[in-house]
Structures are given as structure tokens and as C-alpha cells.
Amino acid sequence: MLSIIEQIKQGKLWDFHGGIHPAENKDLSNKSPIVNAGIPQELVLPLKQHIGSKGDIIVAVGDKVQKGQPLTQGDIAMCVPVHAPTSGTITAIEQRTTAHPSGLSDLCIVIAPDQQDTWCDKTTYADYEDRDPAELIDAIRLNGIAGLGGAGFPTARKLQGGLGNVDILIINAAECEPYITADDRLMRDYAEEVIEGVRILRHIISPKLTIIGIEDNKPEAIKALEQHVKEDDNILIRVVPTKYPSGSSKQLVKILTGREVPSQSRSTSVGVIMQNVGTAFAIKRAIIDGEPLIERVVTLTGEAFKERGNVFAMLGTPIAYLLDKFGYKADKKHPRVIIGGSLMGFTLPHSNVPITKMTNCILAPKRKELPLHTYEMACIRCSACADVCPSSLLPQQLQWYAKDQNYEKCEEYNLQDCIECGACAYVCPSEIPLVQYYRQAKAEIWARSQDEINAERARQRFEAKQARMDRDKAERENRFKKAAETRREEMAKTGGDDAVAAAIARVKAKQAAAQSEKPEVKPAVAAAIAAAKAKQAASAQGATSETLPDNSEMAKLREERKRQARERKAEKEAVESTASASSNDSKKDAVAAAIARAKAKKAQQASEQKAPVADTVVENSEVDPKKAAIAAAVARAKAKKEAQQAQSESNSGTSVETSETDPKKAAVAAAVARAKARKAAQQAESTSEPVAETETVDPKKAAVAAAVARAKARKAAQQAEAQSKSTSEPAAETEAVDPKKAAVAAAVARAKARKAAQQAEVQSEVTSEPATETETVDPKKAAVAAAVARAKARKAAQQAEAQLETTPEPVAETEDIDPKKAAVAAAVARAKARKAAQHAEAQSETTPEPVAETEAVDPKKAAVAAAVARAKARKAAQHAEAQSETTSEPVAETEAVDPKKAAVAAAVARAKARKAAQQAAKEQQNIEED
């Protein structure tokens, strides 16, 4: 049986499935020789003009380049560089539209030619037969040669894959696409250079047989090639029948060798390597002449061209330049410019698209020459597409799956084997653009495969990183472990211990000792700690210590200065407000000033009275913490009382300010009040000191003395209230008396009553301290004393209610009384009601203390009694407030009072009341914080 090579030499040919015989239309462009298209005004060079990856740019904008100078570079086989087609200047590196069916843009280098066409240095290999094939392959790659048949596969990469694997070299000269005659004219005009390029390929590949496959519709090209082929070249020129697509790689291999290329494989897998005629011509120019691939033969055809033919066009030449130069006249209704033939070509979006290495034809047909597809119709299942498919596929099924985006099924039906020849679309009676569906599906499948490749690469990188980190961690642990073992061995040799282990053991021993040793607190120490804490809690504002005497004094001075400044400011504002209301009322200004001074002195006396009481509390707290806590409670109660008194004074002050008194008599009354206040303060200080110092007194006697003192204090308070009421009532009833004198007398009486009440309360509180400290008092006597105190408190509250009920009647009935006097009487009534309520509350708060401290008394009864007392005190306070509100109504009805003066007086009273309340609140807060 003859071998394949012997059968080929004997002239045997094979056939492939399908194929069509469309109108060739080659006579339009193959009658004239190839001409030079010239140098355009601008060259646009895409970085990627082949299958594979683009190179790295090695030039910049503004650089001057020479003809043949590389613009990009790449170190991988699937990357070929781009060279400058002519000399000029790089004007831009930007995105431009490229020759691709998608019509998308890509990064391009723009050159402005200088029309000098100056060459750079060339590297030639005239003695290529003495060169190593690997050196020649690298030279082919550096000269940027890719397949010029239309696929654009890098030639160097294909040659590397065929070294030692192939026995047949096929030169594709079939050129089966209608309208295209580039290879035909190249073989006619440059047959010698084509054959020389085939010899270079034979030297690199070293095949057993070289075949030039050419269709029988090119007789002139066949004769030209036969004239330059020698007998020792071992080159066969094999003429094949004209049939589309016989120029496809797999189909031509089948025709010439009878070998079937497997699905998704290349011809090298069956021992055959194929190169195009134009590629052989470019290899000859690169190896022998040293010219990189900077131009190619392009067919200009179609009835819209005035001058049809083939031209040598520089890569990057805009198609618009060729259209203008060769007389393109667009169709009026349907202008079209197609790159490629009528079957495999695609329409350009516009003419500003450059020529690339894969551009072999520019077709500009008219509407009658190449009719447009009207519209896509439904498939009639005629199977004509399957009959003509050269790859033996099922175009109908592939179109359904591609349209449904079922790309898995498309791959299952071998969509990648489709050569996009367009034979199926050519014979489809429904005019379905099948090739467009296939191209779109292929692009989507490729994008998905790239994503999967990238994801797999990322996964591998991540796993490699994790493995490296684990390896480094294990190495560190081993290194630390070896270092520790070495240290232990050295310590064992020298007779010492491991320093790290010893330090850890010492730390653990200390922690265990600290947890196990719990210091036993002795009673004396605990008592001292409690006393210290109680002393800190009970220290009042202004309380001095031995360590910081100056700081407390300075604090007191600062508070005093702040208080005086606030009072001066309030006086100034009150004077300004009264001056704006009535500038001529000098008597009222004097009265307001005297009242302000009296209140300032009262506040100073109250602060002075607090000091000895706080000292006694501090001294007593040093002895027992419980006593200190009691003293602190007493201090807080005093602060509350003072705040209530300050509020009552501010409320009662309005009646004094509203009355028009003689300034001289008011000054005399104020001086008398000041003298009495000083005397009462001195008496209170002298009485409080011995009481605070007597700690060794018999507790029973002390309790009796405290009870007696409280009773006297209450009696004095009641007498003072009765006197103030008796003095104020005639002033309200006697109309013939001088109102100024009556007002002065009433103010003096009220001031005396307040002072007496304050002195009595201070004395009762100071004397009650030792009684609270005596825990050994007889509980029965203490309970009796508490009951007596509660009874007296109830009696005082009832008297206050009775007085309040009797006093408002004359005021309400006397409608003809002077409105000023009525206002004074109403203010006096309100002040009395508030005082009575405050006294009742204070007594109810102070009386339950002895009962609560006597532990021997029945707790349930004591609690019940205390609750009853508190409830009654609240009820008395509510009655007093209700009565005070009823007394204020007639005052509100007296419309004859001067509204300006009443408003000024009310504003002054409110300001003073706010000040007094703020001071009392601050003092209470300081006491609680200490």
C-alpha cells in the first residue's frame, strides 16, 4: 500500500464535506499589477493586530521615529511587536476604533509622517541556510510577522510548534473568498520572492514534502510559480478544484493529504503545518532584506470604486485615505464599506479605521451588486445549512442554542470548530445571519473561559501563599523549639537552671501567695478606716483640716466675694429697673437698699452660724462613725431649713417693698434689727460651744435637757409668731394710723420673729446632737418625748391653721380699704402661711429621730407613729398653702394699686427669691458632697 506522500506525489486529491460555489467576482481587481498606496497624513497603529497579547509601548508622545523602528516589545511567543511604517513623529497614544466586527476601540499609536520615509538600521540574514532555525524563528518574531491569510496567528509560534512534529509543509495559495485577489496578484508579480520565502520555511521546518495548494481559477499565478520552482527544491504545486471554502486550513489539509484534523485541534496534530503565500513573502522580506512587517497587499474592489485593484498599503493607513485616493463613490441609498470578502467580511461603522496585518480586502459594493438582507425570517428546517457546512456541523441547532444563550449546548455541538465561512448564511432561504450568532456566542464563551482561568489562577496563587505562610510558620516554630532545646542543654551542662522557666515559676508563686494570703482586718483598723471615711463624708463646706487650712479659707473668701458681687449686680439691676419705672421715687430706693443690706447681713450671719456647728460635727465624727453620719444628716436638714427660710423671706419681702415707708425710720429699724441679729448670733455661738464639748455628760440627763430645749424652742417660736401676728393685724385694720410707720413696725416685728425662730431652731438642733449620740437612753422615755414632740407639732399646726382662717376675713371684707394696705396685708398673710407650713414640716422631720434611734422601742409602733406624724404634717402644710392662695385673691382684685410700682416690686422680689434659693441649693449640694 502506498504511503500518503507517495499518493500525493502521484497527484491524488481528496474532498471535504459541503462547500458552495458563489460568484467569484475576481475579475474586478486582478487585471492590474500591485501599486503603492503612498504615505497618508496620519498613521494609526493598534497595539494588537494578531491573535495573542499586545506588547509594551517603548515610545512616548513627541518622539521621532524612523521607518522600521519597533514601537512595542514582548518576550512571549504569542506577542509580536509593531513597527513604524514610515518616519515621523508620535502625536498621540490613545483609544481609536479598530478593524473588528464589534466596532470597539483599542489603544493605538498615532504617527504624523514626515514624508521622508527614512529607514532605521536593518538586520539581514542573507546566509539563512547557515543559520540555526531557532535564530531565524526569533528574527521572524522580532520583525512582527503574523499570518496574513486573515487569522493573524503569530508565525514564530506556529513554527516553534511544528519543529520536529511535521512531515508536510503546505503553502496556502487557494484564496477561495469571492472578490479577493491579493494573493493572486502577489504570486503573479512577486513569484520569485514568494518561492524564496517558501525555501526559508523549508529550511526551518525541514519537512519531507512541501506543497503549494492553489485553485484552478488562477492560471497566471500557477505559471509564475512553476517558472521559479527548481527540481531540488522538493516543492509540489498542486492545483485543486475551485470550491468555497477550500482555502480554509482544515479543508485544504483534507484536500491535499486526506488527513482529518480533530475537533478543536490544529493541523500540526496530524503532521502538517500550513503557511499563507503572503506570510512566505513577508518572511523573505524580513530574513533577506531586513524589513519588518510594515505593509501588506490589500484588494480594493467593488463597483463603488472607480480604480479597482491591489495596493501595497502601510499598516495604520486610514481606510478613508484609500477611499479618497482610488475614487470611491458611495451608494446613495445604502453606502457600505466591508473589510474582507462578501462571505466572511464585516461592515465598518465608519471609514476612519486603519489597515492592520489581518486586512486583505476592502469591498465597497453597490446595492444591486450585493443585495442587503431585508429581514430575518423564521427557520423552515430545510437543512440546507447542514448540507453545505464544511466542518460537518449542525448550524440550525447551533443557532437555536446561541439565540437562547445556552452556551453549554453550543460547546457540546462543537461550535469552536466553525470557521465562520458564511456558507450556511449564503444558502439560507430565510436570510438568517447565522455567522453573527456564532461570533457572538464564541465571544461570550471565550469571556467566560477567561474568567474561569483567572479564577483558577487566583485560587492557585492563594493556595501557594497559604502553603508558603504555613511553611514559614512551621520553620519559625521549629527554629524556636531548637533554640529552646539548645538553651536548656547549655544550662544543664553549666549546672544552672533555665532562666525563663525560673522567672515564670516565680511569677506563678507570687500570684498563688497573693491569692492565698487574705489579710485579717482587725476591729481597731476597721474602726479607724470607717472613722476616716465618715470624716470625709461628714466634712461640710468650709470645713478646715490641719493639712490644708489655707485652701479652705481661700475657698470661703472666694465664695463670699462671688456672693457679694452677685448681690451688687442684683442691687444695680433693681435700682436701674426702679429708676426706669419711677426716677423720682427716692424713698422706695432707700427702702430697697436697706432691705438688701439687711438680707446680706443675715446671710453672712447664717454662714457664720454654720461654722461652729460644722466644727462640732467634725470633732464628734472623730470618735464614732455613726455619730458622724448623724451629724451629716443634721447638717443636711439645716440646709433644707435655711433654703425654706430664704424662700419665705424673699416672698415676704415683697410686702415690705410695696409699702411706702419713711426712709429715716426704715434705716433706724434696719440698724436695730442688725444689732439684735448680732446679739442673737453671739448668744447662739456661746450656747453651742459648751454643748458640743460636753461628751461625758450623763446620757439620760442630756436627753432630758434636749427635750426641754426643744420644747422651749417651739414655745419661743410660737410666741414670736403670735407677736408678729398681733403686731401685723392692727396695722392692717387701723386705717387712721400712718401707713409708713405701720409698715416699718410690721417689718421690724417680722424680722424679730424670724431671728427668734432661727435662734431657737439653731439652739434646739445643737442641743439635740448629744441626745442623738446617746444610745443608752431609756427607750420608753425617748418614745414619750417623741410623742410629746409630735403632739406639740400638731398643736402648732392647728394654731397656725386657726390663725390663717381668722386673718383673711377682715382683708376680704374691707373693700374700701386703701389698696396699698390691702396688698401689704395679703403679703403678710401669705408669709405667715408659709412660715406655719415650714415650721410644721421641720418639727415633723426632727421629732422622729430619737424614736428611730432607740433600738429597744417596738419598731412597728415607731414606724406607725412616724408615718402618722408625717401624714399630719403634710396635711397641715397643704391646708396652709390652700389658705394662703385664698388670701391672695383679694390682693389680685385691687386694681387701684400703681401697676408700674407693683411690677417693679414683684420683679425685685422674684430676683431676690431666686438668689436665696440658689444659695441654699449650693450650700445643700456642698454639704451632701462633703
Side-chain angles (χ1 to χ4, degrees):
M1 183 176 179
L2 298 176
S3 63
I4 296 296
I5 295 177
E6 292 177 349
Q7 292 178 15
I8 294 172
K9 287 182 178 180
Q10 291 181 1
K12 185 177 181 179
L13 296 176
W14 288 263
D15 195 9
F16 62 90
H17 177 269
I20 57 175
H21 296 83
E24 296 179 2
N25 296 321
K26 293 180 181 291
D27 295 338
L28 295 174
S29 59
N30 64 354
K31 294 180 180 181
S32 59
I34 302 172
V35 298
N36 199 320
I39 303 174
Q41 297 297 321
E42 183 182 64
L43 295 173
V44 180
L45 297 166
L47 300 185
K48 186 177 179 181
Q49 303 182 30
H50 57 276
I51 294 175
S53 59
K54 62 181 70 175
D56 299 328
I57 300 175
I58 57 175
V59 293
V61 177
D63 292 352
K64 293 186 178 296
V65 294
Q66 293 179 337
K67 186 176 182 178
Q69 178 181 340
L71 305 178
T72 64
Q73 66 179 5
D75 297 332
I76 59 177
M78 292 297 291
C79 176
V80 294
V82 177
H83 298 77
T86 186
S87 59
T89 305
I90 297 175
T91 58
I93 300 175
E94 60 188 10
Q95 297 284 333
R96 293 287 185 93
T97 304
T98 60
H100 192 270
S102 65
L104 299 177
S105 60
D106 198 0
L107 189 63
C108 301
I109 299 175
V110 182
I111 298 177
D114 57 4
Q115 306 299 326
Q116 300 297 322
D117 205 29
T118 305
W119 274 95
C120 65
D121 296 335
K122 299 179 181 180
T123 302
T124 61
Y125 299 90
D127 55 344
Y128 66 88
E129 293 180 353
D130 300 331
R131 299 281 181 171
D132 185 69
E135 184 180 357
L136 297 178
I137 291 174
D138 190 57
I140 292 172
R141 183 183 66 83
L142 292 177
N143 281 281
I145 298 175
L148 300 183
F153 195 89
T155 303
R157 179 69 182 87
K158 183 182 287 189
L159 294 175
Q160 283 179 346
L163 288 176
N165 296 328
V166 298
D167 55 359
I168 299 176
L169 171 63
I170 296 178
I171 304 301
N172 187 353
E175 196 174 39
C176 60
E177 177 81 12
Y179 286 98
I180 302 177
T181 60
D183 292 344
D184 184 13
R185 288 308 314 184
L186 183 64
M187 289 184 290
R188 290 187 195 183
D189 300 339
Y190 299 92
E192 183 178 1
E193 293 186 47
V194 170
I195 296 300
E196 190 66 27
V198 174
R199 294 189 183 106
I200 295 173
L201 289 173
R202 288 190 73 255
H203 172 72
I204 295 172
I205 300 298
S206 300
K208 295 179 181 180
L209 182 64
T210 302
I211 305 173
I212 298 177
I214 185 171
E215 287 186 337
D216 57 5
N217 59 355
K218 302 176 182 64
E220 293 84 357
I222 295 171
K223 291 180 181 180
L225 292 175
E226 289 177 347
Q227 292 176 359
H228 294 87
V229 174
K230 300 178 181 179
E231 292 182 0
D232 57 350
D233 289 336
N234 196 18
I235 299 175
L236 294 178
I237 299 175
R238 186 65 64 205
V239 179
V240 299
T242 300
K243 182 182 179 180
Y244 182 82
S246 60
S248 177
S249 175
K250 292 182 179 181
Q251 279 68 36
L252 189 58
V253 169
K254 177 70 174 177
I255 293 172
L256 296 176
T257 65
R259 296 176 181 178
E260 192 83 28
V261 179
S263 175
Q264 299 185 9
S265 299
R266 302 188 184 280
S267 60
T268 54
S269 62
V270 293
V272 179
I273 188 170
M274 184 177 292
Q275 294 291 343
N276 185 263
V277 172
T279 306
F281 176 79
I283 290 173
K284 183 268 174 184
R285 288 280 183 98
I287 298 300
I288 295 177
D289 301 333
E291 296 180 5
L293 183 58
I294 56 176
E295 62 181 4
R296 70 155 297 152
V297 180
V298 179
T299 300
L300 304 179
T301 185
E303 294 182 358
F305 272 110
K306 184 179 181 180
E307 299 179 11
R308 309 177 191 95
N310 292 277
V311 298
F312 271 115
M314 291 183 177
L315 301 182
T317 301
I319 293 177
Y321 168 78
L322 298 176
L323 297 177
D324 294 340
K325 186 171 183 178
F326 292 92
Y328 168 72
K329 187 177 181 181
D331 188 82
K332 294 181 179 179
K333 292 185 177 180
H334 301 287
R336 285 180 295 171
V337 177
I338 301 172
I339 283 187
S342 59
L343 294 176
M344 297 184 68
F346 56 90
T347 305
L348 295 175
H350 54 80
S351 60
N352 290 323
V353 175
I355 297 294
T356 64
K357 297 176 184 180
M358 294 183 290
T359 305
N360 57 1
C361 178
I362 298 176
L363 176 60
K366 289 187 176 180
R367 180 171 54 87
K368 293 181 179 180
E369 179 185 4
L370 193 64
L372 290 170
H373 293 289
T374 54
Y375 56 90
E376 178 182 346
M377 294 178 287
C379 177
I380 62 174
R381 297 173 178 84
C382 63
S383 74
C385 56
D387 295 338
V388 301
C389 179
S391 299
S392 300
L393 301 177
L394 297 175
Q396 178 186 1
Q397 298 293 111
L398 291 172
Q399 188 261 343
W400 288 343
Y401 294 134
K403 193 173 183 180
D404 193 39
Q405 298 182 359
N406 191 348
Y407 302 121
E408 289 77 10
K409 281 290 186 180
C410 290
E411 291 183 295
E412 183 179 345
Y413 279 78
N414 299 319
L415 176 64
Q416 298 299 333
D417 290 341
C418 176
I419 60 175
E420 301 178 16
C421 63
C424 55
Y426 180 79
V427 300
C428 181
S430 299
E431 298 185 1
I432 300 174
L434 297 170
V435 178
Q436 295 183 15
Y437 286 107
Y438 303 154
R439 285 175 178 170
Q440 185 176 1
K442 282 183 177 181
E444 186 65 27
I445 291 171
W446 182 85
R448 292 189 178 188
S449 64
Q450 288 298 117
D451 293 341
E452 291 177 359
I453 293 171
N454 294 334
E456 179 65 21
R457 189 179 297 121
R459 185 187 65 80
Q460 293 176 359
R461 288 199 304 268
F462 175 75
E463 290 178 354
K465 180 182 177 182
Q466 288 295 112
R468 186 177 66 253
M469 293 175 65
D470 295 340
R471 186 171 59 254
D472 294 343
K473 183 178 179 181
E475 290 177 357
R476 286 196 301 272
E477 291 178 354
N478 292 332
R479 189 167 58 252
F480 294 156
K481 186 176 181 181
K482 290 179 180 179
E485 291 176 355
T486 304
R487 186 176 63 253
R488 293 192 188 96
E489 291 176 358
E490 291 178 356
M491 295 296 293
K493 290 178 181 179
T494 56
D497 297 330
D498 192 351
V500 176
I504 294 172
R506 286 196 298 273
V507 172
K508 290 182 178 179
K510 289 180 181 178
Q511 292 178 354
Q515 292 179 358
S516 61
E517 293 179 1
K518 294 182 180 179
E520 296 180 359
V521 182
K522 296 181 179 181
V525 177
I529 294 171
K533 292 182 179 179
K535 183 177 180 180
Q536 291 177 358
S539 59
Q541 62 173 359
T544 59
S545 63
E546 295 179 359
T547 57
L548 298 171
D550 296 334
N551 292 341
S552 60
E553 293 295 333
M554 292 300 294
K556 289 180 179 180
L557 292 174
R558 283 196 297 271
E559 291 295 332
E560 184 65 22
R561 286 196 296 270
K562 289 179 181 179
R563 184 183 58 76
Q564 292 177 0
R566 287 194 295 269
E567 290 176 355
R568 286 195 296 270
K569 186 176 180 181
E571 291 176 5
K572 186 176 180 181
E573 292 177 355
V575 170
E576 290 177 356
S577 60
T578 46
S580 62
S582 176
S583 59
N584 298 325
D585 196 0
S586 59
K587 294 181 181 181
K588 192 171 183 179
D589 295 338
V591 173
I595 293 170
R597 286 195 298 274
K599 290 186 176 181
K601 289 174 182 174
K602 287 179 183 179
Q604 183 176 3
Q605 291 172 4
S607 62
E608 291 176 356
Q609 290 175 2
K610 291 176 189 176
V613 176
D615 295 338
T616 57
V617 172
V618 173
E619 292 175 1
N620 295 331
S621 64
E622 294 177 357
V623 180
D624 192 354
K626 294 182 179 180
K627 297 179 180 180
I630 294 170
V634 173
R636 285 194 295 273
K638 291 180 180 179
K640 292 177 184 175
K641 291 179 182 179
E642 291 171 358
Q644 294 171 357
Q645 291 176 3
Q647 291 178 0
S648 62
E649 289 175 2
S650 63
N651 294 330
S652 62
T654 55
S655 62
V656 180
E657 292 172 1
T658 54
S659 61
E660 296 180 357
T661 57
D662 190 3
K664 294 182 180 180
K665 294 180 180 180
V668 172
V672 173
R674 285 196 297 273
K676 290 182 179 181
R678 292 193 195 97
K679 187 173 181 181
Q682 292 173 1
Q683 291 177 359
E685 289 176 1
S686 61
T687 55
S688 61
E689 291 177 358
V691 174
E693 294 174 358
T694 59
E695 296 180 358
T696 58
V697 182
D698 188 1
K700 295 182 179 180
K701 295 180 179 180
V704 175
V708 173
R710 283 196 296 273
K712 290 181 178 180
R714 293 191 196 96
K715 189 174 181 181
Q718 293 172 1
Q719 292 176 358
E721 290 177 2
Q723 291 175 3
S724 61
K725 292 173 184 177
S726 62
T727 54
S728 59
E729 289 174 359
E733 294 174 359
T734 57
E735 297 179 358
V737 183
D738 191 359
K740 295 181 180 179
K741 294 180 180 181
V744 172
V748 172
R750 282 194 298 274
K752 289 180 180 180
R754 292 191 200 98
K755 289 179 184 177
Q758 291 173 2
Q759 292 175 4
E761 289 177 2
V762 171
Q763 291 175 1
S764 63
E765 290 174 359
V766 173
T767 54
S768 64
E769 292 176 1
T772 59
E773 296 172 1
T774 58
E775 298 178 357
T776 58
V777 181
D778 190 358
K780 295 181 179 181
K781 295 181 179 180
V784 173
V788 172
R790 285 196 297 273
K792 291 182 178 180
R794 293 191 201 97
K795 188 175 181 181
Q798 293 173 359
Q799 291 177 359
E801 291 176 3
Q803 292 174 0
L804 288 172
E805 291 175 357
T806 56
T807 50
E809 293 176 357
V811 179
E813 292 173 359
T814 56
E815 296 179 356
D816 298 332
I817 299 175
D818 189 4
K820 295 182 180 180
K821 295 180 181 181
V824 172
V828 171
R830 283 196 299 273
K832 289 179 181 180
R834 293 191 192 96
K835 285 182 182 179
Q838 291 169 3
H839 282 299
E841 290 179 1
Q843 290 175 1
S844 63
E845 290 177 358
T846 55
T847 52
E849 293 177 0
V851 179
E853 293 172 0
T854 57
E855 299 176 356
V857 182
D858 188 0
K860 295 182 179 180
K861 295 181 179 181
V864 172
V868 172
R870 285 194 296 271
K872 292 181 177 181
R874 291 192 199 97
K875 188 174 182 181
Q878 292 173 359
H879 282 297
E881 289 178 1
Q883 292 172 0
S884 63
E885 291 175 359
T886 55
T887 55
S888 61
E889 294 176 358
V891 179
E893 295 174 357
T894 58
E895 299 177 354
V897 183
D898 189 3
K900 293 183 179 180
K901 294 181 180 180
V904 172
V908 173
R910 283 195 299 273
K912 291 181 179 179
R914 290 193 202 99
K915 287 182 182 179
Q918 291 173 0
Q919 291 177 2
K922 287 182 179 179
E923 293 174 357
Q924 175 64 18
Q925 185 177 359
N926 295 332
I927 292 170
E928 292 177 356
E929 290 177 356
D930 296 337

